[in-house]
Amino acid sequence: MTATTDQDAALRIASGRKPFVEPLRLGERLKEIRLANQWTLEDVSQRTGLARSTLSKIENDQISPTFTAVQKLIGGLGIDLPQLLSPPRVQTRTMGRRDLTRRGHGQQHPTPTYEHELLSCELAQKRMIPFKTIVRARSFDEFSEWVRHDGEEFLMVLDGEILLYTEFYEPLPLVQGDSIYFDSDMGHALVSVSEEDAVVLSVCTRSENSP
């Protein structure tokens, strides 16, 4: 949208012409912004000074907002005019994908310190990488370098106890049922401290550069 088009749009709002407001689905866009921020109508009312009933009518395209109302929305919600005028996001339908991994049938990937079982390996282009790991390492000295990879990681201890070593923190003891979420580009390493090798479940976000 050019600067001229933006100015024309603002002028049309000021004149209250419905042919401009309705094609933009401004009410739907306002509702999308509100829900994205987990705001109620009362929250938006307090932020903008507009009555709840007025906001509800705007969201349901029962009235067109005046230029003054648009100014209050922009100022109260901390957005600019292009953000308010941009069309609502197209709601894409889920493809209904699923990928079952039976117990013990994951893809095995052993290393000197871990015994990984990669899960949901048949599903391509997924956003997360889940895997179960038997922690074989018994000392931090067994690692020649920090483990690190792009993204974020969720980890839960399924059996046993571990020490989680991280680059910027003291070693953290975790027992069965404990979980932690951390930036996985921070160096980290797991060591079993229970009598039996600990078992953990990890879910990592997929790198944008991954195929």
Side-chain angles (χ1 to χ4, degrees):
M1 183 178 289
T2 64
T4 301
T5 305
D6 283 341
Q7 293 172 358
D8 291 341
L11 290 173
R12 290 177 185 173
I13 289 179
S15 66
R17 293 183 199 168
K18 293 184 71 175
F20 169 74
V21 176
E22 288 179 349
L24 282 179
R25 295 153 63 194
L26 190 145
E28 187 177 343
R29 175 60 178 152
L30 174 60
K31 186 174 183 179
E32 181 183 63
I33 294 172
R34 177 172 67 81
L35 295 179
N37 288 278
Q38 299 182 332
W39 291 330
T40 64
L41 284 173
E42 180 61 31
D43 293 331
V44 176
S45 177
Q46 292 180 1
R47 287 172 176 270
T48 62
L50 297 171
R52 288 177 54 186
S53 58
T54 300
L55 293 168
S56 177
K57 289 177 181 178
I58 293 174
E59 287 191 357
N60 290 285
D61 292 324
Q62 295 175 355
I63 62 172
S64 300
T66 64
F67 184 64
T68 300
V70 170
Q71 287 181 312
K72 289 183 177 181
L73 287 171
I74 291 172
L77 302 182
I79 59 177
D80 54 28
L81 185 60
Q83 283 179 284
L84 185 61
L85 299 183
S86 62
R89 294 190 184 95
V90 177
Q91 298 296 320
T92 56
R93 287 175 173 259
T94 177
M95 292 183 288
R97 302 182 302 166
R98 72 178 200 179
D99 185 359
L100 171 66
T101 304
R102 295 290 186 186
R103 180 176 180 178
H105 285 72
Q107 188 178 98
Q108 302 297 324
H109 183 68
T111 74
T113 50
Y114 302 138
E115 188 173 323
H116 297 301
E117 181 184 1
L118 305 183
L119 309 173
S120 301
C121 297
E122 299 300 319
L123 191 60
Q125 297 181 338
K126 54 183 179 285
R127 297 180 182 179
M128 300 177 291
I129 303 176
F131 54 97
K132 187 167 64 174
T133 301
I134 300 174
V135 182
R136 300 295 190 194
R138 289 288 171 167
S139 168
F140 181 69
D141 294 336
E142 296 181 41
F143 295 87
S144 58
E145 59 184 0
W146 287 110
V147 177
R148 65 173 83 243
H149 44 89
D150 292 340
E152 302 169 351
E153 181 170 343
F154 170 80
L155 179 150
M156 172 175 277
V157 181
L158 301 180
D159 290 302
E161 301 177 26
I162 65 169
L163 271 180
L164 171 63
Y165 289 84
T166 49
E167 194 171 6
F168 307 123
Y169 300 91
E170 291 296 318
L172 179 67
L174 298 170
V175 300
Q176 183 179 8
D178 287 348
S179 63
I180 189 168
Y181 195 107
F182 58 93
D183 292 324
S184 47
D185 57 354
M186 171 178 62
H188 56 281
L190 309 179
V191 171
S192 283
V193 293
S194 49
E195 184 175 346
E196 299 292 333
D197 290 339
V199 180
V200 302
L201 174 68
S202 296
V203 182
C204 300
T205 55
R206 192 177 185 88
S207 169
E208 294 181 359
N209 297 323
S210 298

PDB file of all heavy atoms in Angstrom, residues 156-181:
ATOM      1  N   MET A 156      11.854 -33.618  29.816  1.00  0.00           N
ATOM      2  CA  MET A 156      11.218 -34.172  31.012  1.00  0.00           C
ATOM      3  C   MET A 156      11.888 -35.491  31.367  1.00  0.00           C
ATOM      4  O   MET A 156      12.160 -36.323  30.476  1.00  0.00           O
ATOM      5  CB  MET A 156       9.731 -34.389  30.797  1.00  0.00           C
ATOM      6  CG  MET A 156       9.050 -35.151  31.946  1.00  0.00           C
ATOM      7  SD  MET A 156       7.262 -35.310  31.777  1.00  0.00           S
ATOM      8  CE  MET A 156       6.734 -33.733  32.438  1.00  0.00           C
ATOM      9  N   VAL A 157      12.161 -35.689  32.654  1.00  0.00           N
ATOM     10  CA  VAL A 157      12.773 -36.929  33.118  1.00  0.00           C
ATOM     11  C   VAL A 157      11.674 -37.976  33.291  1.00  0.00           C
ATOM     12  O   VAL A 157      10.731 -37.782  34.063  1.00  0.00           O
ATOM     13  CB  VAL A 157      13.513 -36.711  34.450  1.00  0.00           C
ATOM     14  CG1 VAL A 157      14.154 -38.019  34.907  1.00  0.00           C
ATOM     15  CG2 VAL A 157      14.565 -35.619  34.313  1.00  0.00           C
ATOM     16  N   LEU A 158      11.800 -39.084  32.555  1.00  0.00           N
ATOM     17  CA  LEU A 158      10.814 -40.162  32.639  1.00  0.00           C
ATOM     18  C   LEU A 158      11.195 -41.181  33.705  1.00  0.00           C
ATOM     19  O   LEU A 158      10.314 -41.699  34.420  1.00  0.00           O
ATOM     20  CB  LEU A 158      10.685 -40.867  31.277  1.00  0.00           C
ATOM     21  CG  LEU A 158      10.261 -40.000  30.096  1.00  0.00           C
ATOM     22  CD1 LEU A 158      10.168 -40.847  28.826  1.00  0.00           C
ATOM     23  CD2 LEU A 158       8.922 -39.317  30.373  1.00  0.00           C
ATOM     24  N   ASP A 159      12.470 -41.481  33.821  1.00  0.00           N
ATOM     25  CA  ASP A 159      12.963 -42.447  34.808  1.00  0.00           C
ATOM     26  C   ASP A 159      14.330 -41.999  35.300  1.00  0.00           C
ATOM     27  O   ASP A 159      15.128 -41.440  34.540  1.00  0.00           O
ATOM     28  CB  ASP A 159      13.092 -43.858  34.195  1.00  0.00           C
ATOM     29  CG  ASP A 159      11.757 -44.498  33.906  1.00  0.00           C
ATOM     30  OD1 ASP A 159      10.950 -44.647  34.849  1.00  0.00           O
ATOM     31  OD2 ASP A 159      11.496 -44.837  32.731  1.00  0.00           O
ATOM     32  N   GLY A 160      14.606 -42.286  36.585  1.00  0.00           N
ATOM     33  CA  GLY A 160      15.923 -42.009  37.134  1.00  0.00           C
ATOM     34  C   GLY A 160      16.131 -40.547  37.490  1.00  0.00           C
ATOM     35  O   GLY A 160      15.186 -39.763  37.601  1.00  0.00           O
ATOM     36  N   GLU A 161      17.405 -40.187  37.635  1.00  0.00           N
ATOM     37  CA  GLU A 161      17.789 -38.826  37.997  1.00  0.00           C
ATOM     38  C   GLU A 161      18.963 -38.390  37.124  1.00  0.00           C
ATOM     39  O   GLU A 161      19.816 -39.205  36.766  1.00  0.00           O
ATOM     40  CB  GLU A 161      18.205 -38.754  39.471  1.00  0.00           C
ATOM     41  CG  GLU A 161      17.132 -39.192  40.445  1.00  0.00           C
ATOM     42  CD  GLU A 161      17.616 -39.163  41.885  1.00  0.00           C
ATOM     43  OE1 GLU A 161      18.541 -38.374  42.185  1.00  0.00           O
ATOM     44  OE2 GLU A 161      17.091 -39.937  42.708  1.00  0.00           O
ATOM     45  N   ILE A 162      19.002 -37.111  36.812  1.00  0.00           N
ATOM     46  CA  ILE A 162      20.097 -36.581  35.997  1.00  0.00           C
ATOM     47  C   ILE A 162      20.641 -35.295  36.606  1.00  0.00           C
ATOM     48  O   ILE A 162      20.006 -34.673  37.468  1.00  0.00           O
ATOM     49  CB  ILE A 162      19.643 -36.279  34.548  1.00  0.00           C
ATOM     50  CG1 ILE A 162      18.587 -35.151  34.541  1.00  0.00           C
ATOM     51  CG2 ILE A 162      19.143 -37.518  33.843  1.00  0.00           C
ATOM     52  CD1 ILE A 162      18.277 -34.604  33.162  1.00  0.00           C
ATOM     53  N   LEU A 163      21.817 -34.922  36.155  1.00  0.00           N
ATOM     54  CA  LEU A 163      22.343 -33.573  36.359  1.00  0.00           C
ATOM     55  C   LEU A 163      22.349 -32.906  34.994  1.00  0.00           C
ATOM     56  O   LEU A 163      22.914 -33.450  34.033  1.00  0.00           O
ATOM     57  CB  LEU A 163      23.760 -33.610  36.928  1.00  0.00           C
ATOM     58  CG  LEU A 163      23.930 -33.651  38.452  1.00  0.00           C
ATOM     59  CD1 LEU A 163      25.417 -33.681  38.804  1.00  0.00           C
ATOM     60  CD2 LEU A 163      23.261 -32.450  39.109  1.00  0.00           C
ATOM     61  N   LEU A 164      21.704 -31.749  34.913  1.00  0.00           N
ATOM     62  CA  LEU A 164      21.709 -30.985  33.672  1.00  0.00           C
ATOM     63  C   LEU A 164      22.798 -29.922  33.770  1.00  0.00           C
ATOM     64  O   LEU A 164      22.705 -28.996  34.573  1.00  0.00           O
ATOM     65  CB  LEU A 164      20.345 -30.339  33.437  1.00  0.00           C
ATOM     66  CG  LEU A 164      20.269 -29.334  32.285  1.00  0.00           C
ATOM     67  CD1 LEU A 164      20.572 -30.009  30.948  1.00  0.00           C
ATOM     68  CD2 LEU A 164      18.903 -28.654  32.253  1.00  0.00           C
ATOM     69  N   TYR A 165      23.842 -30.084  32.981  1.00  0.00           N
ATOM     70  CA  TYR A 165      24.903 -29.084  32.908  1.00  0.00           C
ATOM     71  C   TYR A 165      24.556 -28.098  31.792  1.00  0.00           C
ATOM     72  O   TYR A 165      24.191 -28.500  30.682  1.00  0.00           O
ATOM     73  CB  TYR A 165      26.248 -29.747  32.585  1.00  0.00           C
ATOM     74  CG  TYR A 165      26.829 -30.560  33.715  1.00  0.00           C
ATOM     75  CD1 TYR A 165      26.425 -31.882  33.921  1.00  0.00           C
ATOM     76  CD2 TYR A 165      27.792 -30.024  34.567  1.00  0.00           C
ATOM     77  CE1 TYR A 165      26.960 -32.635  34.962  1.00  0.00           C
ATOM     78  CE2 TYR A 165      28.333 -30.769  35.602  1.00  0.00           C
ATOM     79  CZ  TYR A 165      27.910 -32.078  35.798  1.00  0.00           C
ATOM     80  OH  TYR A 165      28.440 -32.824  36.827  1.00  0.00           O
ATOM     81  N   THR A 166      24.649 -26.806  32.085  1.00  0.00           N
ATOM     82  CA  THR A 166      24.419 -25.783  31.074  1.00  0.00           C
ATOM     83  C   THR A 166      25.532 -24.745  31.149  1.00  0.00           C
ATOM     84  O   THR A 166      26.167 -24.563  32.186  1.00  0.00           O
ATOM     85  CB  THR A 166      23.048 -25.098  31.255  1.00  0.00           C
ATOM     86  OG1 THR A 166      22.882 -24.711  32.614  1.00  0.00           O
ATOM     87  CG2 THR A 166      21.921 -26.024  30.844  1.00  0.00           C
ATOM     88  N   GLU A 167      25.722 -24.095  30.047  1.00  0.00           N
ATOM     89  CA  GLU A 167      26.868 -23.204  29.854  1.00  0.00           C
ATOM     90  C   GLU A 167      26.900 -22.042  30.844  1.00  0.00           C
ATOM     91  O   GLU A 167      27.972 -21.615  31.260  1.00  0.00           O
ATOM     92  CB  GLU A 167      26.822 -22.679  28.416  1.00  0.00           C
ATOM     93  CG  GLU A 167      28.081 -22.006  27.938  1.00  0.00           C
ATOM     94  CD  GLU A 167      28.022 -21.725  26.452  1.00  0.00           C
ATOM     95  OE1 GLU A 167      26.954 -21.945  25.826  1.00  0.00           O
ATOM     96  OE2 GLU A 167      29.043 -21.262  25.913  1.00  0.00           O
ATOM     97  N   PHE A 168      25.742 -21.543  31.237  1.00  0.00           N
ATOM     98  CA  PHE A 168      25.697 -20.327  32.041  1.00  0.00           C
ATOM     99  C   PHE A 168      25.162 -20.536  33.451  1.00  0.00           C
ATOM    100  O   PHE A 168      24.969 -19.567  34.192  1.00  0.00           O
ATOM    101  CB  PHE A 168      24.843 -19.264  31.336  1.00  0.00           C
ATOM    102  CG  PHE A 168      25.273 -19.005  29.914  1.00  0.00           C
ATOM    103  CD1 PHE A 168      24.377 -19.163  28.869  1.00  0.00           C
ATOM    104  CD2 PHE A 168      26.571 -18.625  29.618  1.00  0.00           C
ATOM    105  CE1 PHE A 168      24.760 -18.934  27.563  1.00  0.00           C
ATOM    106  CE2 PHE A 168      26.970 -18.390  28.322  1.00  0.00           C
ATOM    107  CZ  PHE A 168      26.062 -18.545  27.279  1.00  0.00           C
ATOM    108  N   TYR A 169      24.900 -21.802  33.837  1.00  0.00           N
ATOM    109  CA  TYR A 169      24.316 -22.074  35.151  1.00  0.00           C
ATOM    110  C   TYR A 169      25.059 -23.208  35.843  1.00  0.00           C
ATOM    111  O   TYR A 169      25.759 -23.997  35.204  1.00  0.00           O
ATOM    112  CB  TYR A 169      22.832 -22.453  35.014  1.00  0.00           C
ATOM    113  CG  TYR A 169      21.969 -21.399  34.383  1.00  0.00           C
ATOM    114  CD1 TYR A 169      21.761 -21.381  32.997  1.00  0.00           C
ATOM    115  CD2 TYR A 169      21.350 -20.423  35.162  1.00  0.00           C
ATOM    116  CE1 TYR A 169      20.959 -20.407  32.410  1.00  0.00           C
ATOM    117  CE2 TYR A 169      20.539 -19.456  34.574  1.00  0.00           C
ATOM    118  CZ  TYR A 169      20.352 -19.455  33.202  1.00  0.00           C
ATOM    119  OH  TYR A 169      19.561 -18.492  32.627  1.00  0.00           O
ATOM    120  N   GLU A 170      24.853 -23.283  37.144  1.00  0.00           N
ATOM    121  CA  GLU A 170      25.378 -24.403  37.906  1.00  0.00           C
ATOM    122  C   GLU A 170      24.624 -25.680  37.519  1.00  0.00           C
ATOM    123  O   GLU A 170      23.466 -25.615  37.092  1.00  0.00           O
ATOM    124  CB  GLU A 170      25.213 -24.145  39.412  1.00  0.00           C
ATOM    125  CG  GLU A 170      26.093 -23.027  39.962  1.00  0.00           C
ATOM    126  CD  GLU A 170      27.575 -23.359  39.845  1.00  0.00           C
ATOM    127  OE1 GLU A 170      27.943 -24.523  40.118  1.00  0.00           O
ATOM    128  OE2 GLU A 170      28.355 -22.465  39.458  1.00  0.00           O
ATOM    129  N   PRO A 171      25.250 -26.864  37.660  1.00  0.00           N
ATOM    130  CA  PRO A 171      24.552 -28.121  37.355  1.00  0.00           C
ATOM    131  C   PRO A 171      23.241 -28.221  38.132  1.00  0.00           C
ATOM    132  O   PRO A 171      23.180 -27.900  39.318  1.00  0.00           O
ATOM    133  CB  PRO A 171      25.552 -29.192  37.787  1.00  0.00           C
ATOM    134  CG  PRO A 171      26.883 -28.518  37.674  1.00  0.00           C
ATOM    135  CD  PRO A 171      26.654 -27.089  38.059  1.00  0.00           C
ATOM    136  N   LEU A 172      22.201 -28.665  37.441  1.00  0.00           N
ATOM    137  CA  LEU A 172      20.859 -28.699  38.018  1.00  0.00           C
ATOM    138  C   LEU A 172      20.382 -30.143  38.150  1.00  0.00           C
ATOM    139  O   LEU A 172      20.276 -30.859  37.147  1.00  0.00           O
ATOM    140  CB  LEU A 172      19.903 -27.923  37.114  1.00  0.00           C
ATOM    141  CG  LEU A 172      18.437 -27.869  37.547  1.00  0.00           C
ATOM    142  CD1 LEU A 172      18.287 -27.065  38.836  1.00  0.00           C
ATOM    143  CD2 LEU A 172      17.588 -27.258  36.432  1.00  0.00           C
ATOM    144  N   PRO A 173      20.090 -30.616  39.363  1.00  0.00           N
ATOM    145  CA  PRO A 173      19.564 -31.968  39.521  1.00  0.00           C
ATOM    146  C   PRO A 173      18.093 -32.035  39.133  1.00  0.00           C
ATOM    147  O   PRO A 173      17.303 -31.160  39.496  1.00  0.00           O
ATOM    148  CB  PRO A 173      19.762 -32.250  41.021  1.00  0.00           C
ATOM    149  CG  PRO A 173      19.786 -30.901  41.662  1.00  0.00           C
ATOM    150  CD  PRO A 173      20.348 -29.954  40.657  1.00  0.00           C
ATOM    151  N   LEU A 174      17.728 -33.048  38.372  1.00  0.00           N
ATOM    152  CA  LEU A 174      16.345 -33.264  37.960  1.00  0.00           C
ATOM    153  C   LEU A 174      15.981 -34.722  38.226  1.00  0.00           C
ATOM    154  O   LEU A 174      16.752 -35.626  37.905  1.00  0.00           O
ATOM    155  CB  LEU A 174      16.159 -32.950  36.477  1.00  0.00           C
ATOM    156  CG  LEU A 174      16.425 -31.506  36.021  1.00  0.00           C
ATOM    157  CD1 LEU A 174      16.428 -31.416  34.509  1.00  0.00           C
ATOM    158  CD2 LEU A 174      15.387 -30.565  36.609  1.00  0.00           C
ATOM    159  N   VAL A 175      14.816 -34.935  38.810  1.00  0.00           N
ATOM    160  CA  VAL A 175      14.360 -36.290  39.125  1.00  0.00           C
ATOM    161  C   VAL A 175      13.133 -36.614  38.283  1.00  0.00           C
ATOM    162  O   VAL A 175      12.603 -35.772  37.558  1.00  0.00           O
ATOM    163  CB  VAL A 175      14.039 -36.434  40.628  1.00  0.00           C
ATOM    164  CG1 VAL A 175      15.277 -36.132  41.467  1.00  0.00           C
ATOM    165  CG2 VAL A 175      12.894 -35.508  41.032  1.00  0.00           C
ATOM    166  N   GLN A 176      12.680 -37.856  38.390  1.00  0.00           N
ATOM    167  CA  GLN A 176      11.530 -38.313  37.614  1.00  0.00           C
ATOM    168  C   GLN A 176      10.340 -37.356  37.769  1.00  0.00           C
ATOM    169  O   GLN A 176       9.955 -37.002  38.877  1.00  0.00           O
ATOM    170  CB  GLN A 176      11.123 -39.709  38.067  1.00  0.00           C
ATOM    171  CG  GLN A 176       9.969 -40.304  37.270  1.00  0.00           C
ATOM    172  CD  GLN A 176       9.626 -41.707  37.745  1.00  0.00           C
ATOM    173  OE1 GLN A 176      10.141 -42.178  38.757  1.00  0.00           O
ATOM    174  NE2 GLN A 176       8.766 -42.395  37.025  1.00  0.00           N
ATOM    175  N   GLY A 177       9.795 -36.926  36.649  1.00  0.00           N
ATOM    176  CA  GLY A 177       8.666 -36.010  36.653  1.00  0.00           C
ATOM    177  C   GLY A 177       9.048 -34.556  36.517  1.00  0.00           C
ATOM    178  O   GLY A 177       8.204 -33.714  36.186  1.00  0.00           O
ATOM    179  N   ASP A 178      10.314 -34.214  36.782  1.00  0.00           N
ATOM    180  CA  ASP A 178      10.771 -32.836  36.605  1.00  0.00           C
ATOM    181  C   ASP A 178      10.891 -32.519  35.112  1.00  0.00           C
ATOM    182  O   ASP A 178      11.185 -33.399  34.287  1.00  0.00           O
ATOM    183  CB  ASP A 178      12.139 -32.614  37.258  1.00  0.00           C
ATOM    184  CG  ASP A 178      12.062 -32.582  38.779  1.00  0.00           C
ATOM    185  OD1 ASP A 178      10.933 -32.498  39.310  1.00  0.00           O
ATOM    186  OD2 ASP A 178      13.120 -32.648  39.422  1.00  0.00           O
ATOM    187  N   SER A 179      10.682 -31.257  34.771  1.00  0.00           N
ATOM    188  CA  SER A 179      10.829 -30.839  33.377  1.00  0.00           C
ATOM    189  C   SER A 179      11.467 -29.461  33.323  1.00  0.00           C
ATOM    190  O   SER A 179      11.445 -28.711  34.303  1.00  0.00           O
ATOM    191  CB  SER A 179       9.465 -30.815  32.664  1.00  0.00           C
ATOM    192  OG  SER A 179       8.601 -29.870  33.252  1.00  0.00           O
ATOM    193  N   ILE A 180      12.016 -29.130  32.169  1.00  0.00           N
ATOM    194  CA  ILE A 180      12.679 -27.840  31.992  1.00  0.00           C
ATOM    195  C   ILE A 180      12.608 -27.444  30.527  1.00  0.00           C
ATOM    196  O   ILE A 180      12.578 -28.308  29.639  1.00  0.00           O
ATOM    197  CB  ILE A 180      14.150 -27.898  32.475  1.00  0.00           C
ATOM    198  CG1 ILE A 180      14.759 -26.497  32.500  1.00  0.00           C
ATOM    199  CG2 ILE A 180      14.980 -28.850  31.618  1.00  0.00           C
ATOM    200  CD1 ILE A 180      16.105 -26.439  33.232  1.00  0.00           C
ATOM    201  N   TYR A 181      12.562 -26.154  30.287  1.00  0.00           N
ATOM    202  CA  TYR A 181      12.533 -25.587  28.932  1.00  0.00           C
ATOM    203  C   TYR A 181      13.711 -24.628  28.830  1.00  0.00           C
ATOM    204  O   TYR A 181      13.894 -23.789  29.711  1.00  0.00           O
ATOM    205  CB  TYR A 181      11.212 -24.839  28.744  1.00  0.00           C
ATOM    206  CG  TYR A 181      10.858 -24.493  27.317  1.00  0.00           C
ATOM    207  CD1 TYR A 181       9.855 -25.168  26.645  1.00  0.00           C
ATOM    208  CD2 TYR A 181      11.508 -23.457  26.633  1.00  0.00           C
ATOM    209  CE1 TYR A 181       9.499 -24.841  25.343  1.00  0.00           C
ATOM    210  CE2 TYR A 181      11.176 -23.128  25.339  1.00  0.00           C
ATOM    211  CZ  TYR A 181      10.163 -23.825  24.700  1.00  0.00           C
ATOM    212  OH  TYR A 181       9.829 -23.501  23.402  1.00  0.00           O
TER     213      TYR A 181
END
